[in-house]
């Protein structure tokens, strides 16, 4: 065996690995080694509890997380055990597991039929045949909400859309859980077959489990159900109603036990304490026990700008300073200062986060002018806008994990989920942007603000060493010029943890001619 299934674990992680409860909630805050603990838990089931790999079902948020889990298990287990058991374990995303069951049971198209999954842009192409172009987004949203409640459309444009799907031998992603639910209802012996097979079900990133996904997995539970996640990092309610998977779990499994992973090994103490102060304004029905194990570090820098253009330019200058001066502009203007933080970062160590994709427009231009390489993690339509649902589906099913190569990373706060970087910039920290609300209903608006706070918390806790927050008085967004106050979330960070700066501009280089003239003055 390459290493013990308990080697290198702290006391909290070890307790989870050894816990025997049938129904277990593991509250795993950011940077607490959740993936490591998940993998060691599976290894312990195989090695110590002698459970066969075919009895284990593992659900992850993304394909890359599933692949990482398999690779970790391969390193933990002995070679003979890994060779024997790993091929038997089902570890994949909710969508992939649901699709596998449908394919194995030849449902809903029947034996010998092959079919494909269509993405958001293909759904729009189908609906172009059924609805006016200006109505397509609204119709898509109505169909999606129906399917999130496990209801296949039975009238209007919805049923015509389903007919077109079937004519094209296609399903969309939301169909998967609807048809698995129908399959189990029509043929209960198939449900029972899978219930008997999977004696242990483990679910990662449980906080972002939708109603449809929860219903799917709840049906399969027969003995052990273990969920890992953090309700403070639930950031995907836009995929359905405000459904709390943790609260539902507690109702469905009243004999559950709760354990916490409490030691954060990612962020320096100042960053983690500031993030905790932000998230503590939200109510919590599960324990918050998160402590930093890294050194105190430097204060969080919060900078105020007049315009978004100035914000973009000055973020680039700050990056050049962290890099030690890497562009001709930086060197020529003497913008990079030697008395700042010692240079120890490369391009790939730096990530810039924003609430909306369109906020990156000026930032990309500023980086290009400075000659700094960057990679943007987004999927754009022909109009340059991005569907949140499409972006999420692309992230879950096609993304490849951490960025590769020497480049600065640009992405939305949503897309940063599960990642970490030595340096994080979050721009647009303004009221109306972070937090952003779309409803005028006070109750829904309150729920939206709570989720926006969680989203900001996720962004802050991606940072390992440095965290820079910025806001601009004027910003062009949603087709109009916004004049905004700083985000109220910034006020939740106590003074000793932050440094406030006002907008600044690069020093103008003194020319040789000016130097010569000064000799005569």
């Amino acid at each position: 065996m390459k290493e013990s299934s308990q080697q290198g674990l702290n006391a909290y992680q070890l307790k989870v690995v050894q816990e025997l409860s049938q129904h277990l909630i593991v509250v795993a805050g950011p940077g607490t080694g959740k993936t490591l603990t998940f993998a060691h838990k599976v290894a312990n089931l195989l090695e110590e509890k002698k459970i066969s790999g075919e009895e284990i079902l593992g659900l992850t948020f993304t394909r890359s997380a599933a692949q990482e889990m398999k690779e970790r298990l391969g390193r933990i287990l002995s070679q003979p055990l890994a060779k024997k058991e790993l091929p038997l374990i089902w570890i994949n995303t909710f969508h992939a597991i649901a699709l596998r069951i449908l394919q194995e049971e030849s449902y809903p198209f029947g034996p010998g039929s092959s079919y494909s999954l269509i993405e958001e842009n293909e759904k729009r192409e189908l609906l172009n045949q059924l609805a006016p172009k200006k109505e397509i987004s609204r119709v898509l949203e109505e169909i999606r909400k129906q399917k999130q409640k496990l209801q296949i459309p039975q009238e209007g444009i919805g049923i015509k859309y389903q007919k077109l799907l079937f004519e094209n031998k296609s399903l969309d992603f939301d169909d998967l859980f609807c048809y698995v639910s129908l399959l189990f209802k029509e043929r209960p012996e198939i449900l029972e077959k899978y219930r008997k097979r999977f004696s242990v079900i483990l679910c990662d990133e449980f906080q972002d489990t939708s109603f449809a996904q929860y219903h799917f997995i709840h049906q399969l539970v027969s003995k052990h159900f273990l969920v890992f996640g953090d309700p403070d990092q639930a950031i995907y309610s836009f995929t359905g109603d405000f459904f709390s998977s943790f609260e539902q779990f507690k109702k469905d499994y009243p004999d559950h036990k709760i354990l916490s992973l409490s030691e954060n090994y990612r962020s320096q103490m100042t960053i983690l304490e500031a993030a905790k102060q932000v998230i503590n304004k939200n109510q919590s029905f599960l324990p918050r026990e998160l402590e930093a194990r890294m050194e105190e570090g430097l204060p969080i820098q919060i900078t105020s700008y007049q315009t978004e253009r100035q914000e973009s330019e000055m973020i680039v200058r700050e990056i050049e300073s962290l890099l030690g001066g890497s562009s001709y502009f930086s060197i020529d203007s003497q913008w990079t200062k030697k008395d700042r933080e010692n240079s120890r970062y490369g391009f790939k160590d730096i990530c810039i986060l924003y609430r909306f994709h369109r906020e990156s427009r000026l930032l990309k231009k500023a980086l290009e002018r400075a000659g700094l390489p960057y990679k943007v993690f987004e999927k754009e339509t022909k109009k340059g806008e991005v569907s949140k649902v499409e972006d999420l589906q692309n992230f879950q099913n096609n993304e490849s994990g951490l960025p590769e190569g020497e480049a600065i990373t640009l992405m939305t706060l949503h897309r940063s989920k599960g990642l970490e970087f030595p340096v994080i910039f979050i721009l647009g920290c303004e009221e109306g942007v972070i937090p952003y609300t779309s409803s005028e209903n006070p109750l829904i608006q309150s729920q939206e603000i709570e989720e926006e706070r969680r989203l900001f918390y996720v962004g802050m806790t991606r940072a390992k060493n440095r965290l820079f927050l910025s806001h601009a008085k004027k910003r062009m967004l949603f087709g109009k010029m916004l004049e905004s106050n700083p985000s109220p979330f910034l006020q939740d960070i106590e003074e000793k943890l932050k440094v406030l700066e006002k907008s600044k501009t690069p020093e103008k280089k003194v020319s040789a001619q000016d130097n010569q003239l000064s000799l005569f003055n």
Side-chain angles (χ1 to χ4, degrees):
M1 188 167 65
K2 296 181 182 179
E3 62 179 79
S4 166
S5 62
Q6 299 178 6
Q7 183 178 336
L9 301 178
N10 64 36
Y12 299 100
Q13 295 165 341
L14 187 59
K15 191 171 183 180
V16 171
V17 169
Q18 295 177 337
E19 180 58 46
L20 298 176
S21 298
Q22 278 198 325
H23 305 125
L24 179 64
I25 293 175
V26 180
V27 182
T32 56
K34 172 173 55 66
T35 304
L36 173 73
T37 308
F38 189 116
H40 277 277
K41 180 69 177 179
V42 174
N44 181 264
L45 292 169
L46 295 168
E47 292 174 347
E48 305 296 331
K49 305 300 184 287
K50 306 302 179 184
I51 291 176
S52 168
E54 66 182 357
E55 294 182 57
I56 298 173
L57 172 61
L59 296 124
T60 63
F61 191 69
T62 63
R63 283 185 177 178
S64 66
Q67 185 59 37
E68 181 186 356
M69 199 71 70
K70 294 171 187 175
E71 290 172 358
R72 280 182 183 258
L73 279 168
R75 294 193 295 268
I76 295 170
L77 298 170
S78 66
Q79 191 171 359
L81 191 61
K83 187 176 181 180
K84 177 187 175 185
E85 300 293 351
L86 273 182
L88 301 176
I89 302 174
W90 284 24
I91 297 182
N92 218 319
T93 64
F94 277 93
H95 291 99
I97 296 295
L99 178 61
R100 182 170 178 177
I101 291 175
L102 290 174
Q103 289 174 333
E104 290 198 359
E105 305 304 331
S106 300
Y107 194 86
F109 293 99
S113 297
S114 61
Y115 54 92
S116 60
L117 278 178
I118 66 168
E119 297 189 358
E120 200 76 5
N121 61 323
E122 295 170 298
K123 289 162 66 174
R124 288 178 177 274
E125 288 173 10
L126 283 182
L127 282 170
N128 273 331
Q129 306 173 42
L130 304 172
K133 199 169 185 178
K134 63 181 180 180
E135 294 291 313
I136 287 177
S137 293
R138 180 189 61 79
V139 172
L140 267 178
E141 183 68 9
E142 287 179 0
I143 292 172
R144 184 181 60 78
K145 284 185 174 180
Q146 272 188 277
K147 292 182 179 182
Q148 279 292 318
K149 296 175 183 176
L150 300 176
Q151 299 168 0
I152 296 173
Q154 298 295 320
E155 59 184 16
I157 293 176
I159 196 168
K160 293 178 183 178
Y161 166 75
Q162 288 301 123
K163 186 178 178 182
L164 277 180
L165 282 177
F166 265 64
E167 288 174 357
N168 288 279
K169 288 289 180 69
S170 301
L171 297 177
D172 61 34
F173 280 92
D174 293 318
D175 279 326
L176 295 175
F177 306 112
C178 292
Y179 283 110
V180 166
S181 181
L182 273 178
L183 171 65
F184 290 163
K185 185 177 180 179
E186 291 175 4
R187 299 184 61 187
E189 73 277 8
I190 290 178
L191 171 59
E192 192 58 29
K193 178 180 74 171
Y194 288 104
R195 282 173 57 84
K196 286 181 178 178
R197 171 174 180 161
F198 299 123
S199 65
V200 181
I201 298 177
L202 304 97
C203 182
D204 191 17
E205 300 289 0
F206 188 63
Q207 72 276 358
D208 287 315
T209 302
S210 69
F211 168 79
Q213 291 168 338
Y214 181 88
H215 183 267
F216 163 57
I217 206 65
H218 174 58
Q219 286 183 290
L220 293 175
V221 174
S222 60
K223 293 182 181 177
H224 294 273
F225 189 19
L226 295 75
V227 300
F228 293 71
D230 180 6
D232 287 334
Q233 296 185 75
I235 59 172
Y236 284 110
S237 72
F238 65 74
T239 59
D241 295 327
F242 287 92
F243 170 74
S244 172
S245 53
F246 281 108
E247 288 188 14
Q248 194 63 47
F249 184 100
K250 291 172 74 176
K251 291 176 184 175
D252 290 337
Y253 306 100
D255 63 339
H256 68 271
K257 185 170 183 178
I258 299 174
L259 296 177
S260 295
L261 300 180
S262 303
E263 296 185 346
N264 176 289
Y265 296 93
R266 175 189 298 158
S267 302
Q268 292 190 334
M269 189 182 299
T270 298
I271 295 171
L272 190 63
E273 287 303 312
K276 285 164 61 178
Q277 289 169 6
V278 169
I279 200 61
N280 281 341
K281 297 291 184 178
N282 276 3
Q283 292 184 342
S284 178
F285 54 89
L286 287 174
R288 285 190 178 121
E289 300 172 1
L290 195 59
E291 298 298 330
R293 288 294 173 261
M294 307 302 287
E295 61 186 13
E296 183 176 3
L298 295 169
I300 295 166
Q301 184 171 310
I302 302 176
T303 310
S304 169
Y305 297 104
Q306 289 298 311
T307 66
E308 59 179 325
R309 183 178 298 278
Q310 184 186 42
E311 179 186 45
S312 296
E313 294 290 345
M314 300 315 299
I315 285 175
V316 170
R317 304 299 162 243
E318 189 68 56
I319 289 173
E320 289 174 330
S321 180
L322 292 167
L323 295 169
S326 57
S327 75
Y328 291 116
F329 177 94
S330 175
I331 296 168
D332 188 52
S333 66
Q334 300 177 354
W335 175 246
T336 303
K337 300 297 184 181
K338 293 181 180 179
D339 59 349
R340 297 177 73 88
E341 181 184 8
N342 292 332
S343 169
R344 54 191 170 113
Y345 301 111
F347 297 122
K348 67 179 180 181
D349 295 326
I350 298 170
C351 177
I352 308 172
L353 303 176
Y354 33 81
R355 180 63 179 83
F356 300 101
H357 286 291
R358 64 198 75 178
E359 291 179 87
S360 66
R361 177 177 51 88
L362 293 176
L363 186 60
K364 289 184 282 190
K365 291 180 179 179
L367 288 165
E368 288 164 5
R369 281 194 293 272
L372 299 180
Y374 67 88
K375 182 176 177 69
V376 184
F377 279 68
E378 65 184 59
K379 187 173 182 179
E380 294 193 9
T381 65
K382 291 179 181 178
K383 290 185 176 181
E385 297 181 355
V386 184
S387 158
K388 291 188 292 184
V389 176
E390 182 179 11
D391 196 24
L392 172 60
Q393 290 177 352
N394 184 54
F395 176 42
Q396 289 180 306
N397 296 288
N398 302 313
E399 53 79 40
S400 57
L402 283 168
E404 297 177 1
E406 279 292 333
I408 296 163
T409 301
L410 277 62
M411 62 174 66
T412 62
L413 286 160
H414 281 101
R415 181 58 72 90
S416 72
K417 181 185 177 70
L419 302 180
E420 60 180 37
F421 295 86
V423 180
I424 288 286
F425 288 82
I426 304 179
L427 60 82
C429 298
E430 299 130 26
E431 197 168 11
V433 181
I434 306 175
Y436 170 76
T437 58
S438 59
S439 176
E440 295 183 2
N441 182 304
L443 177 60
I444 295 176
Q445 194 173 86
S446 174
Q447 292 173 325
E448 287 179 334
I449 290 174
E450 284 200 350
E451 176 153 325
E452 291 289 302
R453 187 179 291 278
R454 294 194 294 269
L455 182 61
F456 190 52
Y457 173 74
V458 166
M460 293 177 73
T461 54
R462 301 309 95 194
K464 297 168 72 175
N465 303 328
R466 298 297 310 275
L467 177 58
F468 297 85
L469 309 175
S470 60
H471 54 92
K473 186 175 181 181
K474 294 183 179 181
R475 184 177 307 277
M476 178 63 72
L477 204 57
F478 315 120
K480 57 184 178 182
M481 182 63 70
L482 304 179
E483 291 198 25
S484 305
N485 294 318
S487 169
F489 297 162
L490 300 179
Q491 300 172 12
D492 298 328
I493 304 171
E494 63 182 3
E495 296 300 322
K496 70 177 184 179
L497 300 179
K498 61 189 178 185
V499 172
L500 302 178
E501 294 191 6
K502 291 189 176 180
S503 54
K504 50 190 176 180
T505 53
E507 295 175 4
K508 182 179 178 182
K509 181 184 174 185
V510 180
S511 68
Q513 184 180 3
D514 288 339
N515 270 329
Q516 290 175 348
L517 289 173
S518 67
L519 295 174
F520 299 97
N521 292 335

